[in-house]
Amino acid sequence: MNAVFSLLMYLSILLPSILLLFLNVRTRMSRKNPLFFMSFVGVFVFNVIGSFEVFYNEKIFSIAYYSSMGAVIAIFYFLFILFRLEEKTFAIQWSSIFERRPIVNVPLLGALGAFTIGMFMLYYSRHGLPPIFEFDKGGWDVYKARGEKWTTLPEGTHWYQMGFFFIPTFLIVYCYILKVLHKKLFFTVLFYVTLIVSFPFLTIVGSKSPMIDMIFSLFIAQIMLKPGMLRLSLIFKYVFVALFIFFIIMVIQLQDRSEWDVLLLIPGFLFDRIGSVYAEAHAHMLNLIPAQFDYFYGLGMSNPGGIFPYTPVNLSHFLGYQVNGHLQNYSMPSFTHLYANFGWVGFFADFIILFCMISIVQFFFKNQAKSPVVLTCYIMTIKKLLNFSIETIQLVFSEEIVLVILLIIFFDFLFESVVIRSNRAPFRRFAHQ
């Protein structure tokens, strides 16, 4: 396959994707149904842009890959039309949140903070200090530390991630919403104090992702609260902050290289880690299954709590071993994961599940009282849809995430019902100063 033909095939996938991205913004679907918009942005960034590497690599390119990517774009066009026709059904109005009185849900802040501290104490009792504190005579080897004290934990890291990453990010976004809604000194101080206190937890394993995730969540919050403020300057500001933090963490991780070498390394690293790795993972899996291995028929799905009578296969490890010859985590899109389990039936079923997820979440939040806590929960679900293109569908809305969000909304409802309506809201006198 010559270079011109490869370029034409790539453009036949890229250009319709750019057009759909433009249509989402032009029709304000990005505001009316941000869940759908975010899921497509993830596919565009992680699966479409990087497909350039696949089309120019004859070893991994296949007609099945080209057909599947064409199907992905066609399905998103269909979903766009469907959500566009029913936009009044799915759209959520958040305008009433600006009419709320300046009140802090103190019990919820305390409970979530206690949960994070409790998870830290549990981790410490089992494994000692987290990876960020693992220094030896040779300095700090972040990858060795994470390998020994994070990625190989026998109990897994789901609830630790909840305590160290999800909850601190939630609290930061919640306090930021209060700061924007009520421009008072108290809420400004509360936001920055929460940001400072949460920072150690977000960096506790020496990973870049939690900090970038937090910045991205604040960006979504600002767009939700000030949709008219979306400008290229705002985007560049958040991108600059994210890249600066990314650079600092990379310098710490690569202590044997100079700052200039790290700076030169970042563009290629970002393209490979964001743009091409997931596209290549999809191409590799299509070549392996069913040509060399049979479908897994559900054995590649997680088995939470071991409630089902089978031992799950880690497909990321499977793909990493088949491609690189040694045990390595090779993440893949959700539709690739279901394809490996159930073939093309699983591939298309993944998008049906996505449609059901978006519809249920939109209907759920549409019928909730519009409070800062509920808006924070909604923002946390929006950014989770970005993961549709990089991890299994079970992890997009994992069991623990759904459970925690439902509990948070329930306790916020109790707070609204008992405390606010009885006119005994804590910190109200401070908020009015």
Side-chain angles (χ1 to χ4, degrees):
M1 188 169 62
N2 59 50
V4 175
F5 187 62
S6 298
L7 178 61
L8 291 175
M9 296 187 76
Y10 174 65
L11 291 177
S12 69
I13 298 296
L14 178 65
L15 295 181
S17 302
I18 295 175
L19 176 60
L20 183 54
L21 193 65
F22 171 78
L23 290 175
N24 271 276
V25 176
R26 186 70 177 83
T27 60
R28 299 187 178 182
M29 185 66 75
S30 56
R31 302 178 190 174
K32 298 173 183 177
N33 195 336
L35 296 172
F36 168 74
F37 177 70
M38 193 58 62
S39 63
F40 177 69
V41 168
V43 168
F44 178 76
V45 172
F46 296 110
N47 306 142
V48 172
I49 294 178
S51 62
F52 177 87
E53 293 286 336
V54 177
F55 285 111
Y56 277 83
N57 189 339
E58 294 184 358
K59 294 182 179 179
I60 61 176
F61 172 79
S62 65
I63 297 300
Y65 175 82
Y66 178 71
S67 302
S68 66
M69 291 306 300
V72 169
I73 304 306
I75 292 171
F76 269 99
Y77 266 97
F78 174 77
L79 293 178
F80 171 78
I81 295 172
L82 185 60
F83 285 125
R84 175 67 174 162
L85 292 174
E86 299 293 332
E87 66 178 31
K88 291 184 178 180
T89 303
F90 292 101
I92 302 176
Q93 298 295 331
W94 294 97
S95 56
S96 61
I97 198 172
F98 290 93
E99 302 171 2
R100 299 182 61 84
R101 292 169 294 179
I103 299 168
V104 181
N105 192 332
V106 177
L108 182 62
L109 286 176
L112 294 178
F115 178 83
T116 293
I117 294 174
M119 293 309 299
F120 177 82
M121 297 304 295
L122 178 63
Y123 179 94
Y124 179 76
S125 67
R126 292 178 174 180
H127 310 289
L129 291 173
I132 193 68
F133 300 104
E134 286 295 308
F135 289 90
D136 55 30
K137 295 181 180 179
W140 183 50
D141 188 342
V142 60
Y143 297 106
K144 177 183 177 182
R146 284 215 305 261
E148 295 176 352
K149 308 195 71 173
W150 187 253
T151 56
T152 58
L153 299 185
E155 71 271 29
T157 61
H158 292 296
W159 287 105
Y160 295 132
Q161 291 184 53
M162 178 69 66
F164 299 160
F165 308 148
F166 182 86
I167 296 301
T169 300
F170 182 95
L171 294 176
I172 291 171
V173 173
Y174 172 64
C175 293
Y176 176 78
I177 291 174
L178 292 175
K179 171 181 172 290
V180 173
L181 290 177
H182 315 293
K183 298 176 175 58
K184 300 179 182 295
L185 178 61
F186 172 79
F187 292 109
T188 301
V189 173
L190 179 64
F191 167 69
Y192 285 109
V193 169
T194 304
L195 185 64
I196 293 171
V197 172
S198 301
F199 180 81
F201 292 101
L202 294 173
T203 58
I204 206 166
V205 299
S207 175
K208 300 174 284 292
S209 300
M211 289 294 297
I212 304 301
D213 183 71
M214 182 269 293
I215 294 171
F216 185 58
S217 300
L218 289 176
F219 175 73
I220 297 175
Q222 183 161 355
I223 298 306
M224 293 290 295
L225 293 168
K226 302 178 180 179
M229 295 294 291
L230 182 57
R231 299 287 187 273
L232 285 177
S233 59
L234 178 66
I235 297 175
F236 287 144
K237 181 179 74 172
Y238 276 93
V239 170
F240 175 79
V241 173
L243 288 177
F244 178 75
I245 293 176
F246 187 89
F247 170 72
I248 295 299
I249 297 178
M250 285 284 288
V251 168
I252 296 174
Q253 291 178 343
L254 303 175
Q255 299 179 43
D256 58 330
R257 304 192 184 190
S258 67
E259 290 81 0
W260 179 249
D261 289 338
V262 173
L263 187 63
L264 295 178
L265 180 68
I266 288 178
F269 178 87
L270 287 176
F271 181 80
D272 179 67
R273 187 66 182 87
I274 296 176
S276 64
V277 65
Y278 301 103
E280 292 177 349
H282 181 56
H284 282 303
M285 192 64 82
L286 289 173
N287 290 329
L288 290 170
I289 298 177
Q292 301 181 39
F293 299 90
D294 196 9
Y295 299 112
F296 286 87
Y297 298 107
L299 294 179
M301 309 296 290
S302 65
N303 187 4
I307 59 177
F308 298 108
Y310 72 91
T311 301
V313 177
N314 190 318
L315 290 183
S316 295
H317 290 174
F318 163 81
L319 184 61
Y321 185 81
Q322 295 302 322
V323 173
N324 299 308
H326 57 84
L327 184 61
Q328 182 181 9
N329 190 54
Y330 204 146
S331 299
M332 65 194 76
S334 61
F335 47 84
T336 309
H337 187 265
L338 282 189
Y339 167 82
N341 276 282
F342 304 108
W344 292 109
V345 173
F347 175 87
F348 289 105
D350 190 58
F351 295 94
I352 297 176
I353 297 173
L354 174 67
F355 170 76
C356 293
M357 278 184 171
I358 293 174
S359 301
I360 292 172
V361 172
Q362 285 291 111
F363 281 128
F364 176 78
F365 280 100
K366 185 175 183 178
N367 292 284
Q368 298 301 312
K370 304 305 183 287
S371 70
V373 169
V374 173
L375 178 57
T376 305
C377 291
Y378 186 63
I379 290 170
M380 300 299 282
T381 60
I382 291 174
K383 68 183 183 63
K384 288 295 292 181
L385 262 297
L386 192 69
N387 296 345
F388 171 78
S389 56
I390 62 176
E391 62 185 16
T392 70
I393 197 70
Q394 290 174 286
L395 293 179
V396 173
F397 287 132
S398 61
E399 300 87 354
E400 58 269 19
I401 292 290
V402 173
L403 175 62
V404 169
I405 286 179
L406 290 177
L407 287 175
I408 288 174
I409 292 177
F410 173 71
F411 285 113
D412 183 61
F413 170 77
L414 292 181
F415 179 78
E416 295 272 330
S417 302
V418 177
V419 180
I420 295 181
R421 293 179 185 176
S422 63
N423 200 33
R424 296 195 301 270
F427 291 106
R428 179 179 293 167
R429 64 181 182 276
F430 298 104
H432 281 285
Q433 290 181 358

